[in-house]
Amino acid sequence: MAVSLYAALTVPYRLDDRAAFDYIMDAWQDAAPGLVPTKADSIEPVRRPFDLADRDDAAQSWGQSLWIGLRSKPKLQVTILTGPFLHSNLIVRLDQDREPVLDDLVALISSLASATSAHYGVVHQLTAAEIAEAREVRRPDLLTINRVTGKSTLGVGYTRQLQRGIPTLFWQNLFGIPYVELFGRTRLLAAPAAVVREEPWGVLLQVAEFAPTEENWPEFRLRRNEVIDYLGREAFWPVGNRIPDAMTDFEPPPLVTTR
């Protein structure tokens, strides 16, 4: 699907039980009812109706390591990845061509970040100029590289990429407690960004007043790089040698064998 808006959250526990389903969907419905999926399932193609008016039926597709939700108006895809590690990742992709929904997406991610005590999150608008830059540097959160052919496929989101540092700064960056501790609360709040404020889950850093577009991309890119330099490039991909301890548990636990 075409992607112009997307958001992602990293949550410090598994999201595959009924309790997680209920508090996530409660927060979702309160913050952005117009973005609730209307179809969902754990495998593709996604055809099962998803209606929160019948909570028990809607929850039938939950509880898998991969949960996918869809909505046609606005065109939306939700992916929740819960693997054999402590973190879960929630990714929302939106085709903004039909209807501008940026405010709804901001409200949704802020609400979900509070509901889940998220460690990290982003809200971003993707431009063709940024895609071109990502292809040039082979940015791992936007590209999947075929190891055999070397060709890249465009996607959005991240899982274990955070072990290599934050991919870049996005329009809105939700820094949970591990990242506030990494950068330092005082230093983070003094960052040269358009908006920096404390939230229940940590600190919101919004790079520029407006989300990136084709027209303002050069200005946004310049401001983004200034803030990255201020925070320290060692915390960002591709250097990535400074990450919170809490973000090192994406790998499954080692296999224990007995003789």
Side-chain angles (χ1 to χ4, degrees):
M1 64 182 292
V3 175
S4 55
L5 287 178
Y6 71 95
L9 282 179
T10 294
V11 177
Y13 42 81
R14 297 176 65 93
L15 293 177
D16 53 359
D17 61 14
R18 178 57 190 267
F21 173 84
D22 283 331
Y23 65 67
I24 284 177
M25 290 306 162
D26 286 345
W28 199 303
Q29 204 166 25
D30 288 345
L35 298 184
V36 173
T38 56
K39 297 180 181 179
D41 215 329
S42 58
I43 58 174
E44 295 189 68
V46 181
R47 295 195 179 98
R48 182 185 179 91
F50 183 81
D51 184 359
L52 290 181
D54 186 344
R55 187 67 65 98
D56 289 338
D57 184 69
Q60 291 299 310
S61 65
W62 200 260
Q64 306 294 324
S65 59
L66 171 63
W67 184 86
I68 300 171
L70 292 179
R71 186 182 180 103
S72 58
K73 293 183 179 180
K75 191 174 181 181
L76 170 150
Q77 177 176 316
V78 182
T79 304
I80 297 180
L81 298 167
T82 298
F85 35 77
L86 297 182
H87 284 79
S88 299
N89 289 283
L90 182 150
I91 302 167
V92 183
R93 305 176 176 96
L94 276 156
D95 180 355
Q96 200 194 13
D97 294 339
R98 297 184 181 182
E99 182 181 356
V101 290
L102 180 58
D103 289 345
D104 286 343
L105 187 59
V106 168
L108 172 62
I109 295 304
S110 179
S111 178
L112 291 179
S114 294
T116 62
S117 300
H119 277 179
Y120 177 70
V122 308
V123 178
H124 197 56
Q125 182 161 274
L126 193 60
T127 67
E130 184 171 8
I131 292 172
E133 177 190 80
R135 290 192 184 279
E136 182 177 350
V137 300
R138 299 167 79 88
R139 213 175 88 192
D141 64 305
L142 286 184
L143 300 177
T144 300
I145 310 297
N146 186 307
R147 295 183 180 180
V148 177
T149 66
K151 293 182 178 180
S152 61
T153 303
L154 179 66
V156 298
Y158 51 80
T159 53
R160 296 173 183 166
Q161 287 91 340
L162 291 178
Q163 291 184 320
R164 303 167 62 187
I166 300 170
T168 187
L169 278 181
F170 301 85
W171 177 54
Q172 285 197 348
N173 305 267
L174 290 74
F175 292 125
I177 299 304
Y179 284 99
V180 175
E181 293 175 349
L182 181 76
F183 292 119
R185 174 182 170 276
T186 300
R187 181 170 179 78
L188 193 55
L189 290 173
V195 177
V196 188
R197 67 170 181 262
E198 290 191 278
E199 296 283 357
W201 36 260
V203 171
L204 171 72
L205 187 151
Q206 181 176 307
V207 170
E209 180 180 1
F210 300 106
T213 63
E214 303 302 339
E215 291 73 24
N216 72 16
W217 168 251
E219 179 182 350
F220 179 89
R221 185 177 184 273
L222 180 62
R223 175 63 69 89
R224 177 199 69 180
N225 290 342
E226 288 176 352
V227 182
I228 289 176
D229 286 336
Y230 170 84
L231 294 176
R233 289 192 173 269
E234 66 277 7
F236 294 84
W237 179 87
V239 181
N241 57 18
R242 185 180 173 216
I243 62 174
D245 290 340
M247 309 309 290
T248 61
D249 59 9
F250 283 84
E251 298 289 346
L255 179 66
V256 177
T257 60
T258 59
R259 295 183 181 180

PDB file of all heavy atoms in Angstrom, residues 68 121 168:
ATOM      1  N   ILE A  68      -2.731  -8.195  12.130  1.00  0.00           N
ATOM      2  CA  ILE A  68      -2.884  -7.203  11.069  1.00  0.00           C
ATOM      3  C   ILE A  68      -4.316  -6.689  11.071  1.00  0.00           C
ATOM      4  O   ILE A  68      -5.265  -7.471  11.119  1.00  0.00           O
ATOM      5  CB  ILE A  68      -2.566  -7.799   9.690  1.00  0.00           C
ATOM      6  CG1 ILE A  68      -1.126  -8.308   9.657  1.00  0.00           C
ATOM      7  CG2 ILE A  68      -2.780  -6.765   8.581  1.00  0.00           C
ATOM      8  CD1 ILE A  68      -0.787  -9.104   8.418  1.00  0.00           C
ATOM      9  N   GLY A 121       8.590   5.862  20.316  1.00  0.00           N
ATOM     10  CA  GLY A 121       7.555   5.970  19.304  1.00  0.00           C
ATOM     11  C   GLY A 121       7.840   7.097  18.330  1.00  0.00           C
ATOM     12  O   GLY A 121       8.665   7.978  18.598  1.00  0.00           O
ATOM     13  N   THR A 168      16.708   7.503  12.754  1.00  0.00           N
ATOM     14  CA  THR A 168      16.902   8.928  12.457  1.00  0.00           C
ATOM     15  C   THR A 168      15.970   9.672  13.393  1.00  0.00           C
ATOM     16  O   THR A 168      15.317   9.052  14.236  1.00  0.00           O
ATOM     17  CB  THR A 168      16.567   9.241  10.986  1.00  0.00           C
ATOM     18  OG1 THR A 168      16.917  10.612  10.690  1.00  0.00           O
ATOM     19  CG2 THR A 168      15.090   9.038  10.678  1.00  0.00           C
TER      20      THR A 168
END
